[in-house]
Structures are given as C-alpha cells and as structure tokens.
Amino acid sequence: MDVGAVLIAVAGVAGTLGGALLTQQGADRAKRRELEMTQAIQEARENRELRRRCYSELHRDARQFCTALSRHLYVLRDRTPGDEDVQALEAAKDAHRDRWSEALMIAPDVVIDPAGEVNGALTRVYGQVKRLEQGNPRPGETLRSAAEAQHGVWALIAAMREAMRRDLGVAGDGVRLRSSQDTDAVLRDFADPSEDPGT
C-alpha cells in the first residue's frame, strides 16, 4: 500500500472520528445549556416564592403591629396597661422586627424603600406610645398626637403593599383598602378635653 493511500485512509478515519467528536461536544454543550436554563428557571421560581412569602408575612406583621399600637393607645386612654397588654404590644413589635430583618436580606430596593418608611413610622409611634405609657412624653407628645401618627402609618403600609405587588407582578388597578378607622374617628376618640367647646 502506498504512503499516500495510507495517509488518505488515516485522514478519513480521523475526519470521521473528529466529526463524531465535534457532534458529541455540540450535543453536550446543548444539553448543558438546557440544564442551565432549567436550573435558572427553577431558581427564579424559588426566588419569587421566597419573596412572596416574605412580603406576605411582612405585610401581615406590619398591620398587626400597627393594630397593636392602636389597641395600646386605647388601653392607655382608658386604664393603666397590665402585663398582658404590654406583652401583646411587645410580641407584635418583635414579630414585625423579625420580618423586617428577613426582608432586608431578600427584597429589592423598590420594596425596601417603602417598607423602610413603614418600619421607621412604626418605630417612631412605638417610641411615643412607650414614653406615654411610662409617663415621660416629649414636648408635644399626647395620646392624640400618637394616635394621629399611628393612623398615618396605614397609608405607608398601603404603599408598601403596592410596591410588593408590583415586584411580584400582581399589581392591579390601584385598589385601595381602607384602614380600620377613619381620621375623624381617631381624632374624636383621642380628643383633648381642654379643646371640648362644651366645657
């Protein structure tokens, strides 16, 4: 057999093997890309579910903390708070703090910004309520000013909820939920007796 024929035969075999190898490498790359895409889709689903759960719990706990502050203000108006009253407020505060800490690690800035406003407002109202409870209010702090501040938190909670819904892709047509009390009722409930025109 001549050398030329051998070289051609070797080149043919090498070409056949090389072609098969390239085909296999291409198939392996395509399979890897498919697996990476599947994994990315699964991770995106898991991340969305994690955010959804976190948002749900943060929204719930912010509302419960805000409601606990309102209840505590009514207790302060009507009587000296007992241990169970103080414990209920502290439990609501602690639950919200835990959800807020979790959200800081999960939520994007478009949610953290309005959620931070809610957290700050709740913390400020809590501080007023505790100072009033301890008989050590700052100048201008009254049950009425604390009740007004507490009532104002509801609008911040609504804005936070809308940011969460937009992030999850479920934002609707801007339906607004009403807070449990209107402003006039809050002002009547915590009116300063010195402002009563009948006295």
Side-chain angles (χ1 to χ4, degrees):
M1 190 176 219
D2 95 17
V3 174
V6 170
L7 288 176
I8 292 174
V10 169
V13 170
T16 302
L17 290 175
L21 181 61
L22 288 175
T23 301
Q24 182 61 41
Q25 286 176 340
D28 289 347
R29 278 194 302 274
K31 184 68 172 170
R32 256 193 321 275
R33 282 194 303 270
E34 182 181 331
L35 287 172
E36 289 168 358
M37 283 179 47
T38 301
Q39 184 178 4
I41 290 168
Q42 182 62 29
E43 286 174 2
R45 283 183 187 145
E46 290 171 1
N47 182 278
R48 186 170 187 265
E49 179 56 28
L50 178 65
R51 288 190 341 269
R52 189 201 62 74
R53 182 191 54 76
C54 175
Y55 295 171
S56 239
E57 291 175 358
L58 179 61
H59 180 251
R60 177 200 63 214
D61 290 343
R63 290 179 60 83
Q64 288 178 347
F65 187 16
C66 198
T67 299
L69 286 164
S70 177
R71 286 183 187 139
H72 206 75
L73 283 165
Y74 279 97
V75 168
L76 287 171
R77 182 192 70 178
D78 298 338
R79 62 181 168 80
T80 301
D83 287 343
E84 65 283 351
D85 300 311
V86 172
Q87 289 170 2
L89 179 59
E90 294 304 310
K93 175 186 69 77
D94 291 347
H96 177 262
R97 181 201 59 224
D98 291 347
R99 293 300 79 69
W100 171 237
S101 295
E102 182 181 7
L104 285 170
M105 302 307 293
I106 294 171
D109 290 347
V110 295
V111 172
I112 289 297
D113 291 343
E117 289 182 32
V118 170
N119 184 62
L122 286 168
T123 300
R124 286 187 296 277
V125 173
Y126 173 79
Q128 286 186 57
V129 168
K130 292 309 279 186
R131 286 187 294 275
L132 289 164
E133 178 187 297
Q134 296 161 1
N136 191 25
R138 291 179 181 162
E141 287 183 341
T142 63
L143 285 175
R144 182 176 179 153
S145 71
E148 288 173 344
Q150 179 275 333
H151 184 70
V153 176
W154 290 113
L156 298 175
I157 290 173
M160 175 185 74
R161 182 189 68 241
E162 290 307 311
M164 291 171 171
R165 290 172 53 84
R166 275 192 305 276
D167 183 52
L168 294 174
V170 293
D173 57 3
V175 172
R176 293 279 181 204
L177 300 177
R178 293 181 184 214
S179 69
S180 60
Q181 303 172 337
D182 64 50
T183 303
D184 292 337
V186 170
L187 296 180
R188 280 191 308 275
D189 288 350
F190 292 96
D192 184 344
S194 67
E195 296 175 359
D196 185 355
T199 58

